[in-house]
Structures are given as C-alpha cells and as structure tokens.
Amino acid sequence: SAPAVSPQVGSHRDISHESLSLFRLLEPQIEILVLGTGDRVERLHPAMLKQMRECGIAVEVQDTANACATFNFLTNERRLVAAGLIPP
C-alpha cells in the first residue's frame, strides 16, 4: 500500500466526494483509508464517510501525526491501507 495525497486538498474543508474518489479506484481495493486533517482532528461530512463505507472502505480521521502512526501500524499488520495526509 502506498500513501496518496490529492493535490487539490489544502485543508480539511477541501475533502470532498471527488477528492476521495481516488481511493475508491485503487487496485487492490483498500480496506482502510486513514485521513490526517492537520494539527487537529476535524469533522468530515457524515455522507462522505457513509459513501466510503458503502464501497467497503473504513475511514479513520485523525490529526496528521496520529494518522501517520496509524498508517504505519496498519501497514505493519499487512492491511490494505492508504493515507490522505494534510501537513500540520
């Protein structure tokens, strides 16, 4: 699994159905998407999270430092994981 950053996302406000669509196209399909929202955890629109769940992808939203740690942990566990990280 490789981390991916969508270039049009500068803050958590830019996270959209469109920016998350990249993660639904990955092959093999990921199980978990870890989103790092910068210096602090930010709430994302529930409909976006629901759409990802309906595609079979769990979403973890954390501050970026914890998101990096979670991504590394899940990678070590051999999970199919991707990360979208906004710099703190």
Side-chain angles (χ1 to χ4, degrees), residues 1 23-32 52-58 79-82:
S1 302
F23 297 105
R24 294 192 298 273
L25 301 174
L26 295 174
E27 287 291 331
Q29 182 180 324
I30 61 170
E31 305 171 66
I32 304 166
M52 296 299 282
R53 276 196 311 273
E54 287 170 353
C55 294
I57 300 171
R79 304 293 295 271
L80 292 173
V81 60

Side-chain angles (χ1 to χ4, degrees), residues 3-85:
V5 176
S6 186
Q8 70 271 23
V9 174
S11 88
H12 72 279
R13 288 177 212 82
D14 300 324
I15 298 172
S16 65
H17 289 293
E18 185 181 4
S19 65
L20 293 179
S21 66
L22 160 76
F23 297 105
R24 294 192 298 273
L25 301 174
L26 295 174
E27 287 291 331
Q29 182 180 324
I30 61 170
E31 305 171 66
I32 304 166
L33 172 60
V34 181
L35 293 176
T37 55
D39 286 321
R40 58 194 192 128
V41 179
E42 302 287 355
R43 262 184 55 106
L44 299 184
H45 197 286
M48 281 191 292
L49 303 178
K50 182 174 185 269
Q51 183 187 41
M52 296 299 282
R53 276 196 311 273
E54 287 170 353
C55 294
I57 300 171
V59 180
E60 282 287 328
V61 182
Q62 301 177 328
D63 63 85
T64 297
N66 282 312
C68 289
T70 298
F71 175 82
N72 289 335
F73 174 81
L74 292 169
T75 300
N76 286 339
E77 296 282 307
R78 304 256 184 256
R79 304 293 295 271
L80 292 173
V81 60
L85 305 170

